[in-house]
């Protein structure tokens, strides 16, 4: 089973340095989705170059990070400009990586529309990583969707379109474009809490922090921001133990089920002290870092599990072959 981390934004040199040092110590690789507007300081750009030199995947995360949250209303041309400007910065202006090695895109805030995917396909990128999966009533992580092409649209988006009020538009097919979905995380139910290191009642606690949370289903967006951040910004204010319990339970659901890849969304900027304002009652940066490190150590010891970049997962999907050793 594949597990991967995709770090978004990456505009803080200290956060990047922590992530790169932490991964190098474990001989692991991750994916870093870069927003080019955040790469103007040379100290930041040098960490991006270091990431590429050390074998990590570099992805496109737009030029501006859509500061006005305007993504769902963008046209194809606006999306193409966001993608092209970021790509030009990464491959030519800052010379972070060769153009032919930039293959993946994630939209800021997971805000997208059909024009987003049309622009991604037109740009020549091979995959998108923006659509959430796992919220259907029968989903629990054990039966998660594997990465898929958008030849027949996206099951996750279709489910959202049918459930939304007001309704949202269905996607057109985008033949040949791969989707590496953002898999939902599942907060452990009471019966599973103790063995994951927390007392029963975590789902009830999450419901108290965010009233929209479905305590029966247990699904949360698969990003660290959503777990750590203050409830006023949409987060669940998790402790390190609650964070780890949620990731452990979700990983076990995947691993014990159909072993669909679990690609966890993260932000290097969440692991610096300056980010604490977003989670004033949450653990400090060093404790958040320790939780990520513990998670990777535990997964790295699992039988038949491999920590990989998004591109490595995609390459395997296109040519599945037995993997006899984990290795870096």
């Amino acid at each position: 089973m594949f597990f991967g981390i995709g770090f978004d934004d990456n505009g803080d040199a200290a956060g990047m340095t922590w992530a790169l040092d932490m991964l190098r110590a474990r001989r692991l690789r991750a994916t870093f989705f870069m927003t080019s507007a955040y790469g103007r300081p040379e100290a930041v750009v040098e960490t991006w170059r270091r990431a590429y030199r050390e074998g990590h995947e570099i992805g496109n995360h737009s030029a501006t990070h859509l500061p006005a949250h305007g993504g769902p209303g963008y046209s194809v041309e606006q999306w193409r400009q966001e993608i092209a400007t970021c790509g030009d910065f990464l491959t030519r202006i800052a010379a972070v990586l060769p153009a032919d090695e930039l293959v993946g895109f994630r939209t800021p805030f997971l805000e997208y529309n059909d024009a987003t995917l049309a622009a991604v396909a037109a740009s020549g990128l091979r995959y998108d990583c923006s659509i959430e999966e796992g919220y259907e009533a029968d989903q629990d992580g054990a039966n998660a969707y594997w990465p898929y092409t958008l030849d027949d649209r996206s099951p996750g988006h279709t489910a959202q379109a049918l459930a939304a009020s007001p309704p949202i538009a269905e996607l057109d097919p985008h033949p040949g474009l791969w989707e590496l979905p953002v898999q939902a995380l599942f907060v452990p139910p009471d019966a599973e809490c103790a063995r994951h290191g927390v007392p029963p009642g975590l789902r009830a606690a999450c419901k108290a922090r965010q009233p929209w949370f479905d305590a029966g289903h247990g699904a949360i967006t698969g990003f660290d921001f959503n777990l750590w951040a203050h409830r006023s910004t949409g987060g669940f204010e998790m402790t390190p133990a609650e964070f780890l319990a949620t990731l452990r339970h979700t990983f076990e659901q995947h691993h014990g089920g159909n072993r669909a890849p679990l690609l966890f969304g993260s932000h290097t900027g969440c692991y610096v002290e300056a980010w604490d304002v977003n989670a004033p009652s949450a653990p400090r940066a060093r404790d958040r870092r320790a939780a990520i490190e513990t998670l990777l150590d535990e997964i790295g010891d699992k039988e038949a599990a491999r920590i990989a970049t998004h591109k490595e997962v995609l390459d395997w999907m296109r040519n599945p072959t037995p993997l006899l050793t984990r290795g870096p």
Side-chain angles (χ1 to χ4, degrees):
M1 178 190 152
F2 290 109
F3 178 85
I5 293 186
F7 288 104
D8 288 4
D9 307 344
N10 306 310
D12 186 287
M16 279 292 298
T17 299
W18 161 73
L20 293 172
D21 289 348
M22 177 268 296
L23 293 165
R24 182 170 61 184
R26 291 163 173 78
R27 301 179 68 199
L28 299 175
R29 289 190 287 260
T31 300
F32 293 84
F33 292 100
M34 310 304 194
T35 298
S36 56
Y38 299 162
R40 301 304 174 181
E42 182 60 26
V44 170
V45 173
E46 183 49 40
T47 65
W48 295 6
R49 296 187 186 113
R50 177 188 164 189
Y52 175 74
R53 290 195 304 268
E54 295 185 359
H56 302 288
E57 180 188 1
I58 306 299
N60 188 315
H61 193 46
S62 83
T64 68
H65 207 272
L66 314 182
H69 285 258
Y74 273 28
S75 67
V76 173
E77 184 53 38
Q78 286 172 304
W79 277 114
R80 288 183 67 169
Q81 187 65 35
E82 286 283 340
I83 294 167
T85 301
C86 180
D88 187 56
F89 180 83
L90 292 173
T91 63
R92 185 183 64 83
I93 297 172
V96 174
L97 77 164
D100 62 355
E101 295 191 36
L102 185 63
V103 299
F105 177 77
R106 177 140 64 211
T107 183
F109 311 109
L110 301 183
E111 293 181 353
Y112 65 90
N113 56 12
D114 197 65
T116 316
L117 300 169
V120 173
S123 73
L125 297 173
R126 288 164 50 190
Y127 76 83
D128 172 73
C129 188
S130 308
I131 300 176
E132 295 188 72
E133 294 285 358
Y135 290 89
E136 294 94 323
D138 64 342
Q139 292 278 314
D140 63 2
N143 55 351
Y145 287 105
W146 282 69
Y148 51 83
T149 64
L150 289 165
D151 296 45
D152 296 312
R153 303 185 174 93
S154 156
H157 181 88
T158 296
Q160 294 174 53
L162 291 173
S165 180
I168 58 176
E170 177 59 284
L171 299 174
D172 289 332
H174 296 278
L177 179 63
W178 280 84
E179 184 63 35
L180 275 59
V182 178
Q183 297 285 5
L185 302 176
F186 290 89
V187 178
D190 288 354
E192 300 293 325
C193 281
R195 69 188 193 86
H196 290 307
V198 293
L202 182 52
R203 286 192 178 184
C206 288
K207 179 72 172 180
R209 297 166 193 169
Q210 292 294 345
W212 53 261
F213 174 70
D214 184 345
H217 191 231
I220 292 177
T221 295
F223 267 83
D224 56 359
F225 180 93
N226 303 74
L227 304 186
W228 293 127
H230 192 266
R231 67 188 69 187
S232 65
T233 58
F236 286 86
E237 301 181 37
M238 285 192 173
T239 66
E242 292 171 344
F243 176 95
L244 283 169
T246 299
L247 268 297
R248 286 167 177 154
H249 176 67
T250 306
F251 180 86
E252 287 195 2
Q253 289 294 101
H254 280 245
H255 192 261
N258 65 2
R259 296 198 172 178
L262 177 57
L263 303 176
F264 178 53
S266 192
H267 301 81
T268 53
C270 285
Y271 299 92
V272 297
E273 292 181 1
W275 192 82
D276 291 351
V277 67
N278 293 287
S281 61
R284 301 303 87 191
R286 66 183 180 185
D287 299 316
R288 296 194 297 273
R289 292 180 179 189
I292 290 287
E293 293 161 1
T294 297
L295 174 69
L296 292 176
D297 290 342
E298 290 181 356
I299 290 176
D301 286 338
K302 296 288 187 183
E303 180 68 24
R306 177 172 288 200
I307 297 172
T309 68
H310 289 48
K311 181 180 181 298
E312 288 170 335
V313 173
L314 177 62
D315 289 344
W316 190 89
M317 289 295 304
R318 298 176 72 188
N319 183 30
T321 55
L323 299 176
L324 302 181
T325 60
R326 285 199 289 265

